[in-house]
Amino acid sequence: MKFFIDTANLAQIKEAQELGILDGVTTNPSLMAKEGVVGKNNVLAHYKAICDIVDGDVSAEVISTDVQGMLREAEELCEIDPKIVIKIPIIADGIKAIKQLSAREIKTNCTLIFSSGQALLAAKAGATYVSPFIGRLDDISTEGLEIIEDIRAIFDNYGYTTEILAASIRGPMHIINCAKIGADVVTAPLSAITALLKHPLTDSGLAKFLEDAKKFNV
Ligand code: G3P
């Protein structure tokens, strides 16, 4: 399973990259705003800074809602770096844009997926990734992981190569359950990724080993 980090925070991206497990980055306008990145030139420069840190795909989201606007933005974003993947919302014009970009072999990530039907349409249009938001479904008392299971079954039925990129991850159990189901990618905050490292028996076991190791030196 691929690990992407879901942030526009450069320090956190560096930390995940240095851990040696990072396969890519996803961003969205809210994550960029959270880092105080405003103004078109600053946004483009920030994407470049992310691409310079990470080895792998970097999703950059369009803010147009019409197909021509999306394609114009895609052109500009693609000029930043070959790692850029064009993130496009699942609306009718988004599907049209994905279809055209896919025909030109430009990678796309279809976002704001909340149903398996939406994922099916995005795959049919040739999206490289679909991003189902499981945490936001959990937030409204729906089982977010079920959509990952459904999409996995549908894609496997027809051999779609579109990758399931589980997004809106809230914690380590989301990551583990996505891995059990067979999501191709999870994009998570750094805290959810590093939480996978933690176990109290590891901490106490290591403390005991280090304590006993002191006996070697006497
Ligand atoms: O990047 C899209 C997605 O991961 C958003 O997550 O936490 O805002 O629901 P969240």
Side-chain angles (χ1 to χ4, degrees), residues 6 26-28 31 61 87 111 131 133 135-136 139 166-170 187:
D6 195 28
T26 53
T27 63
N28 61 41
L31 292 171
E61 188 157 342
K87 200 171 180 188
T111 189
S131 288
F133 281 24
R136 291 193 195 184
D139 291 345
S168 187
I169 296 286
R170 298 282 189 254
T187 189

Side-chain angles (χ1 to χ4, degrees), residues 45-218:
H46 201 79
Y47 284 137
K48 182 62 185 160
I50 293 173
C51 290
D52 287 346
I53 297 169
V54 69
D55 294 326
D57 286 348
V58 174
S59 286
E61 188 157 342
V62 298
I63 50 173
S64 299
T65 53
D66 64 292
V67 63
Q68 289 313 327
M70 288 176 184
L71 294 174
R72 250 193 324 271
E73 279 189 70
E75 297 282 348
E76 277 184 299
L77 291 167
C78 284
E79 277 173 25
I80 298 172
D81 195 285
K83 294 171 191 165
I84 291 286
V85 173
I86 309 301
K87 200 171 180 188
I88 295 181
I90 179 69
I91 54 177
D93 277 56
I95 288 292
K96 292 177 199 170
I98 288 168
K99 180 80 187 172
Q100 292 197 37
L101 293 170
S102 140
R104 290 159 55 193
E105 296 189 348
I106 293 172
K107 286 186 174 180
T108 54
N109 173 359
C110 190
T111 189
L112 288 166
I113 299 274
F114 292 97
S115 77
S116 50
Q118 291 175 322
L120 176 57
L121 279 181
K124 182 84 183 156
T128 314
Y129 299 102
V130 286
S131 288
F133 281 24
I134 60 177
R136 291 193 195 184
L137 284 168
D138 288 354
D139 291 345
I140 57 158
S141 308
T142 309
E143 183 50 80
L145 287 165
E146 277 178 11
I147 188 180
I148 305 293
E149 282 176 338
D150 290 349
I151 298 169
R152 179 77 282 152
I154 291 168
F155 285 8
D156 289 350
N157 279 348
Y158 297 98
Y160 284 122
T161 54
T162 299
E163 294 186 49
I164 303 171
L165 196 173
S168 187
I169 296 286
R170 298 282 189 254
M173 287 314 295
H174 268 162
I175 299 177
I176 292 164
N177 286 321
C178 284
K180 283 162 78 174
I181 293 166
D184 300 288
V185 191
V186 288
T187 189
L190 182 62
S191 58
I193 298 171
T194 54
L196 293 171
L197 282 169
K198 306 286 181 201
H199 198 288
L201 291 178
T202 303
D203 296 341
S204 59
L206 181 60
K208 177 82 171 90
F209 285 156
L210 294 177
E211 187 56 36
D212 288 343
K214 287 180 192 161
K215 295 171 192 161
F216 302 164
N217 300 322
V218 288

